[in-house]
């Protein structure tokens, strides 16, 4: 009997803050019957501190060092779906490393939607202002800088305000191309 083709994990989701990587990742993991992991949660577990606390006590540079360390080690043995933080790919070297071990999926979401979500939830250390115009500028600036790395993903999914289920199904369908 020929068995059904399986998508080999890890599957790693990248994209800006507020794109719904964790919600989508959880659904995707469910659809594929795989475990779900969230890099920010793993960093919080390792350090015993919340992400805003790490930024406040040690600064962004130290946060990125921990993030790099956890991601580099974990992606090699990850057996499921992993949602990254918005800045986790950091540089070309790290992006190459992730792509060596994982199917990389870029969740792309319109800036308007990102802005709406970021303004609603005010605990993002990379956004230090509550001024909507300044927040938009900061998001645009971060997105421009990160886009060259995000765009190297195997798959890009353009989301909108619809339910995450729609996009989880789309990702599964498109990942099947790589199934073995
Ligand atoms: C960050 C995004 C956050 C978190 C940290 C830094 C960023 O994750 O990793 O606050 O640099 O964009 P989310 O993308 O899950 O919000």
């Amino acid at each position: 009997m020929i068995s059904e083709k399986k998508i080999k994990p890890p599957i790693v989701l990248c994209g800006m803050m507020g794109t719904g990587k964790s919600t989508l990742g959880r659904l995707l993991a469910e659809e594929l019957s795989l475990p779900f992991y969230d890099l920010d949660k793993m960093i919080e577990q390792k350090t015993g501190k919340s992400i805003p606390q790490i930024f406040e006590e040690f600064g962004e540079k130290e946060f990125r060092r921990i993030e790099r360390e956890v991601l580099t080690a974990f992606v090699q043995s990850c057996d499921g779906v992993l949602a990254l933080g918005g800045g986790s790919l950091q540089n070309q070297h790290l992006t190459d490393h992730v792509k060596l071990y994982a199917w990389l999926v870029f969740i792309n979401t319109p800036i308007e939607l990102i802005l709406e979500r970021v303004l609603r939830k005010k605990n993002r250390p990379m956004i230090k202002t509550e001024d909507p115009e300044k927040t938009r500028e900061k998001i645009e600036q971060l997105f421009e800088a990160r886009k060259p790395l995000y765009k190297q993903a195997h798959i890009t999914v353009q989301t909108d305000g619809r339910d995450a289920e729609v996009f989880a199904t789309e990702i599964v369908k498109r990942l099947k191309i790589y199934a073995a």
Side-chain angles (χ1 to χ4, degrees), residues 20-75:
K21 297 181 292 290
S22 300
T23 309
L24 203 43
R26 211 167 273 119
L27 282 170
L28 187 60
E30 219 170 89
E31 280 206 28
L32 296 171
S33 304
L34 291 171
F36 171 71
Y37 305 94
D38 185 308
L39 191 67
D40 279 343
K41 294 266 161 2
M42 294 178 69
I43 295 170
E44 291 183 335
Q45 269 161 18
K46 184 184 162 86
T47 58
K49 292 181 190 291
S50 71
I51 302 293
Q53 261 176 335
I54 301 172
F55 269 79
E56 206 174 298
E57 287 180 33
F58 308 116
E60 184 184 353
K61 200 163 171 232
E62 177 62 6
F63 169 76
R64 296 297 175 201
R65 193 196 60 75
I66 302 167
E67 184 181 49
R68 216 161 42 233
E69 193 178 282
V70 177
L71 174 57
T72 310
F74 184 63
V75 75

Side-chain angles (χ1 to χ4, degrees), residues 149-165:
L149 299 175
Y150 292 155
K151 283 174 98 174
Q152 295 176 42
H154 298 98
I155 292 172
T156 296
V157 177
Q158 182 67 48
T159 68
D160 48 37
R162 281 179 295 162
D163 275 357
E165 274 95 353

Side-chain angles (χ1 to χ4, degrees), residues 85-100:
S88 305
L89 289 178
Q90 293 193 22
N91 55 44
Q92 188 61 54
H93 183 70
L94 201 46
T95 307
D96 289 343
H97 179 81
V98 170
K99 284 183 69 186
L100 199 59

